[in-house]
């Protein structure tokens, strides 16, 4: 008997890149879809093949699984990305003619993990590429990280300095060879090579000797800076607690979890719980970091050092994705920390001289190579939510593939936000999102932001007609946009979040957008972050928000949960703190500090008002004494989420939602906070308190959604990186009769707002042009 989920009609959009044109791929999809009773279409695009199919969820799941297994013999799937959408009511399945306009827009493909054929050659002693760390073919290897300009020819890549030997040239020119026109094609005789350098840049070994020496250094507990595809990793033995602590001290990364690279899937499964969807993502050509739950019965002989992810029940795991990584991991035979080659808040290093200068105080030696990297590309990060991939950081393997939208027109450059910055370029209805750039807190980050903006424009030979940015006057991305001579458009932060999710889900018309995060500049010049917006792709109206509170110390409150908690207690005690001196939040201050804080709140000095759900998470974490000061962004919220563990509870605290749609509703947390404080005093299990807090936020959202009455609800913002919150929110809204939409391939955090900015600007321009035509 089929479940309701299997019978539910859905639509899936699948983008397939690789050798999928001219090999019978579209007829194969046509017959497979017909066999499964699906409706929709398949067509060629500038980047490969696009499939849209409608049918029961179970049949779509079969389609997803069977395509990679049953594909035509001469085809090769490099990238396989999909998202679920609302059904459109297709009547049949057909092979659709490609859009000539789309085919004229060349698409730069992402870097792809080493394919099975190349991997076999690397470890075949009889093959001429035996143990060669730059083996690749048309199915795998560097793309976006090495291209200077289109078209994607060797002369336009950093491989132009390496002249192919006769054997490589024959492969390159043979249409029957899988290296036919593989632009990075190389071998030990004519291609790049590795060297091991000391911290002064002196060569300690080259070629295979360098790799062996690097492995020995890692075994000895040393920190090795390894130049990969998109930049440097800092690599250290993940089982050596002392070595991991040394890396933390030198990198100035006190508690934020490190990513791990494992030798094999079997290794990961010994340390982590791996669901089928997670296994598929780990082994895909994108090869991202996947957040996995630690196994409670993990093999003690393979124990990961506690300092890798202190106090965290999850590990960020990935598999080797370049030949160099495979060679290192095969020799090491164990897990390593593979964290970005940078100091905190800086972009990753991409060349040797820069690495010596910036990483010289961290690394003990450097495994480098002579293939230049054009642009820094960090590892992508993915989490599975509601049994779907959920991209948290979009970089290697995903960028710069476009997000196709339904609006075509002017070229637009969107500059994104301040934290987790990305930029986006809209060209002919495609929005090309950059790789993750990072927080624009340093000169290096600002330089990377500027270079990435120019690089996108140059790659696609675009001269934007409009530039669009956030409304915050102090964002460096805003100042950059204001200093250009282009027509400027500004999009409110949370509206951009909602439009980003709408664009990804191909939604038009009006929705209720729930945008929850740490901070965003509001129309009223206050700090927003707990927003309910009745929105379309062009405009919005704020119909509800979280009850506001003050942030004493402004930005300082964002890194000290105790300040937010104290502000809320100040509000509850009518400005006295009386009756709360027993709480950890108050005890975290000295008497003098508390007096200064009270003065700030009394006089509203450097104490802006906020409606931020992210800061409310901080306050509750402080009440529970999880964290009083933060070592990295989102640490308190993560602590609350992870504290729940396997707890299953459906209770929630009291709350109120006064107001009306005309004036706006207020999600009032007052009763909830009173109850939480009482539970803390009563010694109630903290994981129960945390679960009930999360549940209360969800019930607030459901209550507001019922009051507003929009049937479609869109979720976006950094708070929806929280798996428990997101999955419960989706489930409760669905059970209440709403159609719910969330992110899949675009981050819910600020890494996704450049997409929202670009799409919003395109719609505003289109609407203005339509109005002008109507007046004629």
């Amino acid at each position: 008997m089929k479940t309701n989920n299997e019978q539910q009609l859905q639509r899936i959009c699948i983008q397939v890149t690789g050798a999928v044109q001219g090999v019978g791929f579209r007829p194969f999809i046509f017959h497979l879809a017909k066999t499964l009773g699906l409706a929709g279409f398949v067509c060629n695009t500038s980047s490969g093949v696009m499939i849209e199919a409608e049918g029961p969820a179970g049949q779509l799941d079969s389609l997803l699984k069977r395509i990679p297994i049953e594909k035509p013999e001469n085809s090769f799937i490099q990238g396989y990305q999909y998202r679920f959408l609302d059904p459109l009511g297709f009547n049949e399945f057909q092979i659709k003619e490609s859009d000539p306009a789309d085919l004229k827009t060349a698409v730069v493909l992402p870097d792809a993990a080493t394919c099975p054929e190349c991997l076999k050659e690397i470890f075949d002693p009889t093959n001429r590429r035996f143990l060669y760390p730059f083996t690749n073919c048309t199915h795998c290897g560097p793309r976006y990280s090495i291209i200077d300009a289109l078209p994607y020819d060797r002369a336009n890549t950093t491989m132009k300095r390496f002249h192919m030997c006769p054997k490589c040239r024959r492969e390159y020119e043979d249409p029957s060879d899988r290296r036919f026109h593989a632009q990075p094609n190389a071998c030990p005789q004519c291609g790049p090579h590795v060297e091991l350098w000391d911290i002064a840049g002196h060569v300690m070994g080259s070629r295979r000797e360098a790799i062996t020496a690097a492995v020995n250094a890692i075994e000895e507990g040393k920190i090795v800076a390894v130049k990969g595809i998109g930049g440097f990793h800092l690599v250290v033995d993940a089982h050596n607690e002392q070595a991991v602590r040394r890396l933390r001290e030198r990198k100035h990364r006190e508690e934020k979890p490190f990513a791990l690279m494992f030798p094999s899937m079997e290794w990961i499964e010994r340390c982590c719980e791996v669901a089928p969807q997670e296994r598929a993502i780990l082994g895909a050509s994108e090869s991202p970091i996947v957040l996995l739950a630690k196994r409670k019965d993990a093999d003690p002989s393979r124990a990961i050092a506690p300092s890798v992810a202190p106090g965290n029940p999850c590990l960020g795991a990935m598999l080797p994705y370049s030949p160099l990584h495979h060679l290192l991991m095969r020799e090491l035979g164990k897990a390593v920390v593979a964290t970005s080659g940078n100091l905190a808040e800086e972009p990753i290093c991409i060349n040797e001289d820069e690495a010596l200068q910036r990483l010289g105080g961290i690394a003990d030696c450097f495994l480098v190579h002579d293939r230049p990297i054009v642009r820094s590309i960090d590892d992508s990060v993915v989490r599975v939510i509601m049994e779907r991939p959920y991209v948290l950081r979009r970089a290697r393997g995903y960028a710069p593939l476009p997000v196709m939208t339904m609006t075509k027109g002017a070229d637009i450059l969107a500059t994104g936000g301040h934290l987790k910055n990305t930029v986006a370029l809209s060209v002919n209805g495609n929005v090309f999102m950059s790789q993750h750039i990072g927080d624009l807190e340093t000169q290096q980050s600002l330089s990377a932001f500027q270079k990435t903006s120019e690089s996108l424009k140059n790659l696609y030979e675009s001269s934007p007609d409009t530039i669009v940015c956030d409304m915050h006057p102090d964002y460096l991305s805003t100042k950059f946009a204001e200093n250009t001579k282009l027509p400027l458009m500004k999009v409110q932060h949370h509206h951009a979040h909602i439009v980003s999710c709408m664009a990804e889900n191909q939604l038009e018309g009006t929705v209720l957008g729930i945008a929850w995060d740490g901070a965003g500049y509001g129309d009223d010049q206050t700090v927003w972050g707990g927003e309910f917006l009745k929105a379309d792709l062009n405009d919005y109206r704020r119909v509800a928000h979280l009850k506001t509170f003050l942030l004493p110390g402004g930005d300082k409150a964002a890194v000290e949960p105790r300040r937010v908690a104290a502000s809320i207690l100040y509000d509850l005690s009518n400005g006295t703190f009386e009756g709360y001196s027993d709480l950890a939040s108050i005890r975290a201050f000295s008497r003098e500090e508390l007096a200064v804080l009270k003065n700030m709140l009394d006089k509203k000095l450097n104490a802006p008002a906020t409606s931020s759900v992210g800061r409310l998470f901080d306050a509750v974490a402080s009440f529970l004494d999880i964290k009083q000061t933060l070592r990295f962004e989102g640490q308190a919220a993560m602590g609350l989420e992870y504290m729940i563990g396997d707890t299953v509870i459906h209770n929630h605290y009291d709350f109120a939602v006064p107001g009306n749609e005309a004036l706006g509703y207020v999600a009032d947390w007052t009763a909830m906070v009173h109850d939480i404080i009482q539970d803390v005093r009563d010694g109630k299990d903290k994981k129960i308190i945390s679960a009930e807090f999360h549940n209360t936020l969800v019930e607030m959202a459901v209550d507001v959604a019922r009051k507003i009455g929009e049937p479609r609800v869109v979720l976006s913002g950094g708070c929806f990186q929280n798996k428990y919150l997101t999955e419960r929110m989706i489930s409760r809204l669905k059970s209440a009769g709403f159609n719910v939409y969330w992110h899949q391939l675009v981050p819910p955090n600020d890494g996704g707002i450049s997409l929202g900015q670009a799409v919003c600007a395109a719609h505003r321009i289109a609407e203005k042009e339509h109005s002008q035509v109507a007046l004629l």
Side-chain angles (χ1 to χ4, degrees):
M1 183 175 178
K2 292 187 176 181
T3 65
N4 288 336
N5 187 54
E6 289 173 323
Q7 294 173 337
Q8 184 182 3
L9 192 67
Q10 294 183 350
R11 175 167 60 114
I12 194 169
C13 177
I14 308 172
Q15 291 177 275
V16 188
T17 59
V20 290
Q21 293 188 10
V23 291
F25 202 88
R26 288 181 298 163
F28 155 68
I29 295 295
F30 175 83
H31 290 297
L32 179 56
K34 285 285 191 182
T35 300
L36 293 170
L38 301 173
F41 66 86
V42 58
C43 68
N44 285 335
T45 70
S46 54
S47 57
V49 165
M50 182 174 76
I51 305 154
E52 288 208 11
E54 282 184 9
Q59 298 299 86
L60 295 180
D61 188 53
S62 295
L63 178 72
L64 274 174
K65 291 176 180 176
R66 290 177 63 176
I67 290 173
I69 297 170
E70 302 175 19
K71 63 183 174 59
E73 185 177 350
N74 293 326
S75 69
F76 180 82
I77 294 176
Q78 174 184 318
Y80 193 60
Q81 299 182 14
Y82 60 90
R83 49 187 170 148
F84 288 91
L85 306 167
D86 279 353
L88 293 176
F90 294 124
N91 295 317
E92 59 179 353
F93 200 91
Q94 57 183 265
I95 297 177
K96 188 176 175 182
E97 289 298 316
S98 307
D99 184 347
D102 176 61
L103 293 176
K104 288 179 183 176
T105 304
V107 171
V108 178
L109 295 179
D111 303 306
T114 308
C115 71
E117 290 88 351
C118 283
L119 192 58
K120 186 185 297 183
E121 291 175 346
I122 293 166
F123 292 109
D124 179 0
T126 66
N127 192 281
R128 71 189 188 94
R129 290 185 172 87
F130 178 55
L131 301 183
Y132 182 55
F134 301 95
T135 302
N136 66 85
C137 67
T138 53
H139 302 161
C140 67
R143 301 286 189 272
Y144 184 45
S145 61
I146 64 169
I147 187 171
D148 283 308
L150 288 170
Y152 177 55
D153 294 327
R154 194 178 182 100
N156 289 330
T157 74
T158 59
M159 286 298 294
K160 59 178 175 281
R161 62 193 287 184
F162 301 99
H163 300 286
M164 284 182 280
C165 67
K167 289 183 179 179
C168 285
R169 174 61 65 180
R170 280 196 296 273
E171 293 171 333
Y172 183 85
E173 294 176 350
D174 181 359
S176 66
D177 196 286
R178 81 172 197 280
R179 293 191 168 91
F180 178 56
H181 279 263
Q183 305 307 334
N185 189 29
C187 73
Q189 280 65 50
C190 63
H193 285 285
V194 296
E195 292 181 338
L196 188 69
W197 292 1
D198 65 16
I199 58 174
H202 299 138
V203 178
M204 302 165 64
S206 61
R207 304 196 180 211
R208 295 182 189 177
E209 177 189 36
I211 294 173
T212 300
V215 168
N216 291 337
I218 294 168
E219 291 276 19
E220 293 167 6
K222 292 181 179 177
I223 301 167
V224 180
V226 179
K227 185 181 179 184
I229 286 182
F232 277 83
H233 277 130
L234 291 166
V235 176
V236 72
D237 183 351
H239 310 276
N240 186 328
E241 173 69 7
Q242 187 177 358
V244 176
R245 286 190 177 188
R246 190 182 312 115
L247 176 58
R248 286 204 175 278
E249 291 167 5
R250 294 184 185 179
K251 189 174 162 70
H252 303 151
R253 184 163 167 162
E254 297 171 89
E255 297 176 18
K256 190 175 182 180
F258 282 136
L260 296 175
M261 184 176 285
F262 288 87
S264 65
M265 189 74 75
E266 182 267 340
W267 248 97
I268 296 178
E269 290 175 332
R270 291 281 188 94
C271 298
C272 303
E273 302 284 351
V274 186
Q277 298 94 333
E278 293 163 337
R279 187 178 297 107
I281 297 167
L282 284 163
S285 66
E286 293 84 5
S287 194
I289 297 166
V290 181
L291 299 188
L292 303 170
K294 294 176 183 174
R295 286 185 73 102
K296 294 177 182 177
D297 60 346
D299 186 344
S301 66
R302 300 187 177 189
I304 301 299
S307 290
V308 166
N312 195 314
C314 295
L315 292 174
M318 62 179 157
L319 289 168
Y321 56 82
S322 76
L324 180 57
H325 292 139
H326 280 287
L327 292 169
L328 287 169
M329 298 308 291
R330 179 70 67 96
E331 284 203 42
L332 280 163
K334 58 183 174 181
V336 297
V337 168
T339 189
S340 304
N342 57 5
L343 282 168
E345 313 305 335
E346 291 183 359
I348 57 175
C349 297
I350 61 173
N351 70 60
E352 302 76 54
D353 294 335
E354 178 191 25
L356 286 175
Q357 180 182 358
R358 289 173 53 199
L359 305 180
I362 304 175
D364 296 305
C365 54
F366 296 77
L367 185 62
V368 303
H369 59 74
D370 55 348
R371 183 177 68 199
I373 298 170
V374 173
R375 56 187 60 81
S376 61
I377 306 176
D378 221 322
D379 297 314
S380 294
V381 180
V382 176
R383 193 174 194 181
V384 171
I385 288 184
M386 296 298 289
E387 300 184 350
R388 296 182 189 176
Y390 196 72
V391 174
L392 301 180
R393 184 167 74 194
R394 190 177 185 271
R396 179 186 48 77
Y398 295 89
L401 283 179
V403 177
M404 288 174 283
T405 68
M406 293 176 276
T407 302
K408 297 185 178 182
D411 287 8
I412 298 166
L413 178 66
T415 61
H418 187 72
L419 302 178
K420 297 179 175 63
N421 179 266
T422 61
V423 297
L425 180 68
S426 178
V427 180
N428 194 33
N430 286 323
V431 180
F432 298 92
M433 289 180 66
S434 78
Q435 69 278 21
H436 167 85
I437 297 169
D439 300 348
L440 302 185
E441 300 280 2
T442 65
Q443 185 55 49
Q444 289 92 342
S445 298
L446 180 59
S447 176
F449 162 80
Q450 293 169 334
K451 288 177 181 176
T452 302
S453 300
E454 287 303 310
S455 173
L456 269 183
K457 290 190 294 182
N458 293 339
L459 265 183
Y460 293 102
E461 297 181 347
S462 171
S463 298
D465 305 290
T466 302
I467 192 165
V468 56
C469 65
D470 194 271
M471 289 173 55
H472 199 300
D474 296 330
Y475 280 5
L476 294 180
S477 55
T478 300
K479 292 179 179 179
F480 172 84
E482 289 173 337
N483 288 333
T484 67
K485 296 180 180 179
L486 292 171
L488 176 65
M489 193 176 294
K490 295 186 177 183
V491 177
Q492 198 278 327
H493 188 91
H494 299 96
H495 186 216
H497 269 305
I498 298 306
V499 173
S500 170
C501 191
M502 291 178 69
E504 183 179 5
N505 285 280
Q506 295 186 2
L507 298 179
E508 292 187 320
T510 303
V511 303
L512 173 64
I514 301 178
W516 288 358
D517 61 5
Y521 193 76
D523 288 342
D524 57 0
Q525 289 79 52
T526 64
V527 182
W528 289 9
E531 308 311 310
F532 297 83
L533 308 179
K534 198 168 183 177
D536 56 29
L537 296 172
N538 180 51
D539 206 352
Y540 72 95
R541 184 165 62 87
R542 189 189 196 196
V543 293
H545 62 81
L546 191 72
K547 180 186 174 184
T548 60
F549 48 90
L550 301 181
L551 294 175
D555 289 343
K556 203 165 184 179
V559 295
E560 293 186 25
R562 61 178 187 162
R563 287 176 177 260
V564 188
S567 173
I568 287 176
L569 296 175
Y570 173 92
D571 186 63
L572 296 181
S573 63
N574 296 316
T576 65
F577 297 126
E578 286 184 12
Y580 297 113
S581 60
D582 59 317
L583 296 181
S585 306
I586 299 300
R587 289 187 282 104
F589 294 98
S590 67
R591 184 176 298 175
E592 293 76 14
E593 287 175 326
L594 200 60
V596 171
L597 198 75
K598 184 178 184 305
N599 186 55
M600 294 173 71
L601 292 167
D602 286 342
K603 298 179 179 179
K604 294 184 172 56
L605 294 173
N606 192 23
T610 185
S611 57
S612 169
V613 171
R615 298 291 77 80
L616 185 60
F617 265 92
D618 289 350
V620 174
S622 173
F623 295 148
L624 271 60
D625 204 17
I626 294 173
K627 276 290 171 186
Q628 302 300 343
T629 58
L630 304 183
R631 296 291 179 263
F632 61 89
E633 185 199 7
Q635 188 178 18
M638 285 173 59
L640 276 173
E641 176 192 357
Y642 294 146
M643 180 165 281
I644 297 171
D646 299 328
T647 303
V648 177
I649 188 168
H650 302 294
N651 296 340
H652 62 83
Y653 292 111
D654 290 338
F655 63 90
V657 184
N660 57 64
E661 187 172 346
L663 298 176
Y665 293 97
V666 176
D668 190 343
W669 39 259
T670 305
M672 176 188 71
V673 170
H674 275 302
D675 289 346
I676 287 174
I677 291 170
Q678 189 58 52
D679 281 348
V680 169
R681 286 171 168 162
D682 291 343
K684 190 172 183 177
D685 192 331
K686 290 182 180 180
K687 64 184 179 183
I688 302 295
I689 298 175
S690 180
E692 292 186 0
F693 164 65
H694 281 79
N695 295 351
T696 307
L697 292 178
V698 170
E699 295 309 314
M700 280 182 176
V702 173
D703 193 4
V704 171
R706 284 182 173 137
K707 285 176 164 61
I708 301 304
E710 281 293 335
R712 299 183 300 172
V713 180
V714 170
L715 309 179
S716 191
C719 289
F720 292 110
Q721 295 173 108
N722 181 316
K723 182 180 174 75
Y724 182 94
L725 178 73
T726 304
E727 292 188 335
R728 188 171 182 89
M729 181 83 79
I730 292 167
S731 298
R732 284 289 296 117
L733 285 167
K734 281 187 171 184
S735 67
F738 295 96
N739 297 319
V740 192
Y741 304 88
W742 61 96
H743 288 279
Q744 298 171 69
L745 297 176
V746 175
N749 55 48
D750 285 6
I753 69 168
S754 62
L755 170 63
Q757 290 172 345
V759 172
C760 182
H763 272 262
R764 289 179 183 177
I765 291 169
E767 185 172 284
K768 182 178 179 181
E769 290 174 349
H770 179 75
S771 299
Q772 290 173 342
V773 169
L775 291 172
L776 295 178

